[in-house]
């Protein structure tokens, strides 16, 4: 896999992730975030385990303790930022929530700089355009009642930035499918514990129906098993900054879903000039990051 193929994979991952807002809209608020994370993660882990049992067993035999320790670290970070996102998104509509989630783009270059890792000028410029797009789209509609949600998502973005940096390092050393399976299993265990602590009646009180089962099943496959695994494969040939900027395209996809899909399925997005300008700046930031400069083209040849 070369860098171009990695970028295409990351775009496919981002497209899958953008459908989260649609799936979550089908799951009633009576289902707690810990339950959603627990059930989808355990289903994703089981699915990967059944399909790739021999491969996972082989990877585990090669470096059992190291692989499990790494996945424990990643699984804990994954759980923290996903729970913060789930709670924080309750304060925003679809488009505003998508823009706010992409604040990771702004946080990650700062973290890389703090860790004394090289961040190219092109990446800083790309992140700047994406950040400006976020400010234009969200700032015009922001209100004080969203402050708590913004804080939760802000902290989640910091945790996610750290997760991406660590994942990028481990992805080049370990088997992506095995990592994805163990991360999903660890997220499921942590979420299950938190679910039981916050809601002891847990599983028995869930309002089971066909819509909820279908939503959880779709999320388990497309988001947990497929998108997460594909993302780890792509991270082998990508940089944390490059991956994060491409992730910001989730804004574009989410706005499209909020515009074209019926109100019965998802809260409609009203295309204001601010949102259109924000989306345009996000796309511009991605083009700057993805399109190679003449020097980069020469170095690839």
């Amino acid at each position: 896999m070369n860098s171009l193929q990695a970028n295409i994979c990351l775009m496919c991952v981002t497209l899958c992730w953008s459908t989260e807002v649609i799936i979550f809209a089908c799951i009633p608020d009576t289902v707690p975030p810990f339950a959603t994370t627990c059930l989808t993660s355990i289903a994703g882990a089981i699915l990967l385990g059944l399909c790739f049992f021999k491969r996972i067993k082989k990877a585990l035999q090669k470096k059992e303790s190291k692989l499990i320790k790494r996945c424990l670290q990643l699984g804990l970070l994954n759980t923290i930022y996903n729970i913060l996102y789930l709670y924080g998104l309750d304060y925003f509509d679809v488009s505003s929530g998508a823009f706010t989630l992409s604040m990771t783009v702004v946080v990650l270059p700062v973290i890389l700089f703090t860790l004394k890792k090289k961040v190219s000028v092109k990446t800083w410029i790309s992140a700047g355009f994406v950040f400006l797009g976020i400010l234009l789209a969200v700032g015009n509609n922001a209100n004080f009642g969203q402050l708590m949600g913004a804080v939760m998502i802000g902290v989640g973005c910091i945790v996610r930035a750290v997760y991406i940096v660590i994942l990028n390092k481990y992805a080049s050393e370990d088997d992506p499918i095995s990592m994805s399976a163990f991360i999903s299993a660890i997220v499921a265990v942590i979420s299950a514990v938190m679910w039981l602590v916050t809601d002891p009646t847990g599983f028995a009180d869930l309002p089971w129906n066909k819509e909820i089962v279908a939503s959880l099943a779709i999320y388990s496959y497309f988001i947990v098993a497929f998108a997460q695994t594909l993302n780890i494969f792509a991270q082998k040939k990508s940089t944390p900054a490059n991956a994060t900027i491409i992730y910001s395209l989730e804004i574009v996809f989410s706005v499209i879903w909020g515009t074209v899909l019926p109100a019965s399925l998802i809260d409609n997005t009203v295309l204001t000039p601010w949102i259109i300008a924000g989306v345009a700046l996000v796309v511009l930031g991605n083009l700057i990051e993805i399109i190679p400069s003449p020097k980069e083209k020469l170095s690839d040849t």
Side-chain angles (χ1 to χ4, degrees):
M1 180 184 291
N2 56 36
S3 58
L4 175 60
Q5 291 171 328
N7 286 341
I8 293 172
C9 286
L10 288 170
M11 290 180 190
C12 292
V13 169
T14 304
L15 177 60
C16 289
W17 282 346
S18 71
T19 61
E20 284 181 303
V21 292
I22 305 170
I23 299 171
F24 285 147
C26 299
I27 301 175
D29 294 337
T30 50
V31 180
F34 288 121
T36 301
T37 305
C38 173
L39 295 173
T40 54
S41 295
I42 192 63
I46 291 172
L47 182 62
L48 289 170
L50 291 175
C51 294
F52 302 100
F53 176 77
K54 290 183 179 179
R55 179 169 179 161
I56 295 171
K57 182 181 178 180
K58 185 178 179 180
L60 197 59
Q61 289 173 340
K62 282 186 177 180
K63 37 185 165 181
E64 180 179 351
S65 60
K66 183 182 289 187
L67 179 61
I68 292 176
K69 285 179 182 178
R70 289 177 171 182
C71 291
L72 275 170
Q73 185 181 12
L74 291 168
L76 179 59
L77 292 171
N78 186 297
T79 305
I80 292 171
Y81 80 72
N82 270 308
I83 295 300
L84 286 168
Y85 281 176
L86 285 171
Y87 278 109
L89 283 172
D90 288 339
Y91 293 82
F92 297 92
D93 58 27
V94 172
S95 61
S96 296
F99 275 98
T100 309
L101 289 178
S102 293
M103 286 297 294
T104 305
V105 173
V106 183
V107 175
L108 192 130
V110 177
I111 289 178
L112 289 174
F113 182 77
T114 304
L115 295 173
K116 298 181 179 180
K117 295 181 180 293
K118 185 178 179 181
V119 181
S120 68
V121 174
K122 186 173 76 169
T123 295
W124 283 110
I125 295 172
S126 298
F129 276 111
V130 174
F131 181 47
L132 183 57
I134 293 170
L135 290 180
L136 282 177
V138 178
N140 188 57
N141 297 317
N143 59 69
F144 186 76
Q146 296 173 329
L147 179 60
M148 183 56 69
V151 170
M152 289 181 182
I153 291 178
V155 175
C157 287
I158 295 173
V159 176
R160 188 187 186 197
V162 175
Y163 172 86
I164 291 170
V165 172
I166 297 173
L167 177 64
N168 186 264
K169 177 184 177 183
Y170 294 160
S172 61
E173 301 174 9
D174 295 313
D175 176 55
I177 292 177
S178 302
M179 285 181 67
S180 184
F182 283 117
I183 289 171
S184 298
I186 290 162
V187 170
V189 172
I190 297 172
S191 300
V193 172
M194 298 305 296
W195 182 14
L196 291 175
V197 170
T198 57
D199 182 17
T201 55
F203 191 85
D205 278 353
L206 287 180
W208 293 105
N209 56 49
K210 293 180 180 179
E211 189 176 62
I212 291 177
V213 172
S215 298
L216 293 175
I218 293 170
Y219 190 96
S220 300
Y221 176 75
F222 283 103
I223 307 299
V224 178
F226 177 73
Q228 179 176 256
T229 305
L230 185 62
N231 179 49
I232 298 174
F233 269 108
Q235 289 278 354
K236 283 180 173 289
K237 291 295 182 180
S238 182
T239 65
N242 183 69
T244 307
I245 289 173
I246 293 177
Y247 293 157
S248 68
L249 285 174
E250 185 174 350
I251 293 171
V252 181
F253 296 130
S254 295
V255 169
I256 292 172
W257 303 143
T259 304
V260 303
L261 293 176
S264 59
L265 187 60
I266 189 174
D267 293 335
N268 286 136
T269 298
V270 179
L271 286 180
T272 65
W274 298 104
I275 290 178
I276 294 173
V279 168
L281 286 169
V282 169
V283 172
L284 178 59
N286 272 270
L287 290 175
I288 292 172
E289 177 68 22
I290 293 171
I291 298 175
S293 64
K295 288 184 179 179
E296 290 172 329
K297 288 181 180 179
L298 287 173
S299 63
D300 289 339
T301 58

